[in-house]
Amino acid sequence: MIVEDPMAATRRGQRGLPECLVPWLARALWLTAMMLALPWSGRAFAQEVQETHYPSGELKERYETNEAGQKAGLYERFRTDGTLEERAQYKADQLDGLRTQFDAAGRLEVESHYSRGLRFGSWVKYQEGSVVLKARYEKDQLNGRFERFLPDGRRLLQAQYKKGLLDGKYIESKPDAHWERNAKYKAGVLDGKATIEIAGKVQSQRTWKNGRLVDLDGIVPYPLALDALTAELAEASRVGPIDPQDPQSADRQGELARLKAYRALCRIPWKDLTLNPEWNALCDAAGELCKAIGHLDHTPSQPPGMDDKAYARGYQGTSNSNLSSGGLRGSVDSYMNDSDPSNIDRIGHRRWCLNPNMAKTGFGSAGQWAAMWSMDSSGPGARGLTSVMYPPPGYVPSDMFGPRHAWSIHLLSGRVPTSKDAIEVTMHRLDENFLPAGDALQLDWKDLGGGGYGGSPCIVFRPESIEVRPGSRYAIQISLDQGKSIAFDYLVEFCAPTREPRQRR
């Protein structure tokens, strides 16, 4: 529909009139059109017709005002080329009634209704003459049916709103892919059963409860809600009191807090984990021994010049501890990584950190040489726990794992694969709809670590490439009998880090 300035039509039709009559007649015709556009019950002659112009002189706006100088009645806005951009009804300076907006070609672009300045009723958007959006408003809030369409009429979305929030049935479609998502919302969040269909066949079923995904194709994707995990990690990461008489106390307490956080993440006992002062001293001695020999060694020979007592204490420390050459601060992160070529086959440091039976530990260092006492099984363990997984199912802060970290499952009880060849691992990236995105990820490592480190055998695997950033998620399925059955079926989603990266000293 092409809409033009009424004055332009007047000028074309009245070329024979004297010039002095043209503006008068144009204004009279415009007033007549304006009055005919109003319902009979609401007609009233305005005090004055106002016009505004662009700096170059072209007409910009034309509207009526009431006795108070407020917009009241028909309002029109034009582009610099004279084409109509908007037509609306005003009352007391507020939009009130039908409002229509047009594109540069004169086609209807938006049709909406207002009451006292607020959207109220239907709201329709067009694209080159085709409806692409339909909505209903009440007091400027979406309320009722909401639909989006492709220009060819195929529907992309059908939803229900209540007071501005999604509430009710929700159907999202991708017509070209024959893809459809059916869900339900309540007060703005997903709530209830939902499905995803492709070509008419259900590909995935899930259940939401108050915005939380509680079931995804038969698994519990998030064993712990994000807010609950965040609170527990914050508690675990709280650094204990510092001993002013011990120059390494702050770092010892900091690494203890970090160890607690990893154990909390992996759902194993952490609250009663304490530092043993004697083990702290033996870890210091282990650091001195490694410093003397210039490398890490759990069973080092006595170096020249070191007395027997210092060597004995240092040896006791090295043979009972995780060792690091990167300093005490940040050493727990190094032990939990444990994925370098010399450690990935067994990830022994990590397995000691995640030993469920640990109740006490110690930390110490001498310069860059650090130790963590590992040989403790005095705790009660985790009753009913059959495995320790890292990263664990559910949310994992992005500062507690890395893209080249090995994945591990410590088998505390139950079936143990006969060899690494019996282990089959399938990993997929998941998209925003929790569906596999692309082919399964390739692994560059898969092995079965024996017992002796933290008391249990361990499955170790590593995908070639993953993203560890908030929102990236992966589905993992593991068979221990060459694919005959699935022993582990879980999801990992990386979330915001628990803290800023710490600097080493």
Side-chain angles (χ1 to χ4, degrees):
M1 177 174 65
I2 305 299
V3 181
E4 61 180 355
D5 178 358
M7 290 190 69
T10 300
R11 286 193 291 270
R12 286 200 303 271
Q14 302 295 331
R15 288 177 184 170
L17 291 173
E19 280 191 24
C20 62
L21 295 180
V22 172
W24 176 86
L25 183 57
R27 181 166 294 187
L29 289 172
W30 184 82
L31 283 171
T32 301
M34 178 185 64
M35 294 304 298
L36 290 173
L38 291 171
W40 284 105
S41 61
R43 291 184 183 177
F45 285 99
Q47 294 296 315
E48 189 174 355
V49 175
Q50 302 289 339
E51 290 183 352
T52 66
H53 297 80
Y54 290 99
S56 55
E58 291 89 352
L59 179 64
K60 182 179 182 180
E61 296 173 298
R62 183 190 293 127
Y63 54 89
E64 265 194 318
T65 57
N66 59 19
E67 294 180 355
Q70 300 170 318
K71 290 187 183 75
L74 186 63
Y75 169 93
E76 290 180 321
R77 179 184 177 93
F78 301 88
R79 298 181 179 86
T80 54
D81 64 0
T83 57
L84 182 65
E85 185 176 5
E86 177 184 343
R87 176 180 287 140
Q89 293 289 332
Y90 272 82
K91 185 176 183 181
D93 251 359
Q94 293 182 321
L95 283 162
D96 196 275
L98 177 64
R99 181 190 188 193
T100 50
Q101 296 165 270
F102 303 89
D103 65 18
R107 292 170 298 211
L108 186 61
E109 196 168 51
V110 178
E111 185 178 60
S112 51
H113 293 80
Y114 285 77
S115 177
R116 298 182 180 181
L118 303 177
R119 283 172 291 186
F120 209 115
S122 68
W123 194 95
V124 183
K125 182 176 175 62
Y126 299 83
Q127 182 177 322
E128 297 182 355
S130 299
V131 175
V132 292
L133 190 151
K134 286 183 178 180
R136 294 198 66 82
Y137 281 85
E138 186 172 327
K139 296 182 180 179
D140 219 33
Q141 290 184 321
L142 285 165
N143 197 78
R145 193 180 181 94
F146 180 96
E147 295 175 288
R148 286 187 183 276
F149 303 88
L150 289 171
D152 63 11
R154 290 180 295 172
R155 189 165 54 198
L156 297 173
L157 179 65
Q158 176 184 326
Q160 289 288 328
Y161 277 84
K162 185 176 182 180
K163 295 183 178 179
L165 298 175
L166 283 164
D167 196 287
K169 193 174 183 180
Y170 180 98
I171 304 174
E172 179 185 0
S173 302
K174 297 178 183 178
D176 291 336
H178 306 287
W179 181 99
E180 185 172 279
R181 178 164 73 100
N182 287 265
K184 293 180 180 178
Y185 279 83
K186 185 176 181 179
V189 297
L190 284 159
D191 192 86
K193 294 189 180 299
T195 61
I196 291 181
E197 297 181 11
I198 299 177
K201 295 182 179 180
V202 175
Q203 302 295 313
S204 179
Q205 301 183 67
R206 60 280 307 268
T207 303
W208 297 81
K209 186 174 182 180
N210 195 29
R212 181 184 173 196
L213 183 60
V214 296
D215 183 276
L216 176 64
D217 297 316
I219 70 168
V220 179
Y222 303 104
L224 200 60
L226 182 56
D227 55 353
L229 175 65
T230 301
E232 186 167 2
L233 291 179
E235 182 184 355
S237 300
R238 191 175 296 120
V239 176
I242 308 303
D243 180 0
Q245 304 303 315
D246 178 6
Q248 296 206 76
S249 178
D251 283 344
R252 296 190 216 274
Q253 291 290 350
E255 293 309 297
L256 175 65
R258 191 60 168 169
L259 178 60
K260 286 182 175 181
Y262 278 112
R263 292 172 68 86
L265 175 69
C266 295
R267 327 280 195 259
I268 57 176
W270 62 269
K271 292 187 177 182
D272 296 325
L273 187 63
T274 59
L275 291 175
N276 182 309
E278 174 59 17
W279 292 351
N280 287 341
L282 290 171
C283 286
D284 286 340
E288 293 289 354
L289 181 51
C290 290
K291 181 179 180 181
I293 63 176
H295 63 271
L296 300 176
D297 192 334
H298 290 286
T299 57
S301 300
Q302 185 171 353
M306 178 173 281
D307 65 63
D308 293 345
K309 183 177 180 180
Y311 170 67
R313 288 180 63 78
Y315 190 93
Q316 187 178 0
T318 60
S319 59
N320 285 277
S321 300
N322 284 340
L323 301 176
S324 169
S325 61
L328 180 53
R329 178 174 288 196
S331 58
V332 169
D333 288 333
S334 298
Y335 301 142
M336 288 298 296
N337 181 344
D338 223 19
S339 303
D340 58 281
S342 63
N343 286 296
I344 193 172
D345 63 332
R346 58 194 182 282
I347 57 164
H349 303 92
R350 180 191 297 177
R351 291 159 72 183
W352 284 120
C353 289
L354 299 181
N355 175 14
N357 295 312
M358 177 185 281
K360 295 177 289 185
T361 187
F363 289 98
S365 68
Q368 73 182 64
W369 310 98
M372 169 194 151
W373 191 275
S374 304
M375 304 296 182
D376 177 64
S377 295
S378 62
R383 295 178 181 176
L385 191 66
T386 59
S387 63
V388 177
M389 305 167 74
Y390 179 76
Y395 294 109
V396 176
S398 58
D399 64 322
M400 301 185 78
F401 200 76
R404 295 303 296 151
H405 281 35
W407 297 52
S408 60
I409 301 178
H410 311 186
L411 303 171
L412 304 181
S413 64
R415 176 184 295 178
V416 176
T418 55
S419 69
K420 70 176 183 180
D421 294 330
I423 303 168
E424 292 189 3
V425 179
T426 305
M427 287 187 67
H428 280 95
R429 289 186 179 88
L430 297 182
D431 63 17
E432 68 277 9
N433 291 301
F434 296 87
L435 292 178
D439 297 332
L441 302 180
Q442 297 297 311
L443 304 182
D444 62 18
W445 187 270
K446 184 184 71 172
D447 208 347
L448 177 64
Y453 300 92
S456 62
C458 183
I459 299 168
V460 185
F461 59 96
R462 183 172 64 186
E464 289 183 350
S465 176
I466 65 167
E467 290 184 299
V468 178
R469 57 177 178 78
S472 57
R473 60 175 72 101
Y474 297 87
I476 305 95
Q477 287 188 328
I478 299 175
S479 171
L480 304 181
D481 54 11
Q482 296 181 311
K484 296 175 183 177
S485 63
I486 300 299
F488 297 94
D489 187 359
Y490 61 108
L491 174 150
V492 169
E493 178 173 333
F494 295 102
C495 60
T498 59
R499 63 180 187 185
E500 294 297 322
R502 296 193 301 175
Q503 300 297 318
R504 289 184 181 272
R505 299 196 248 191

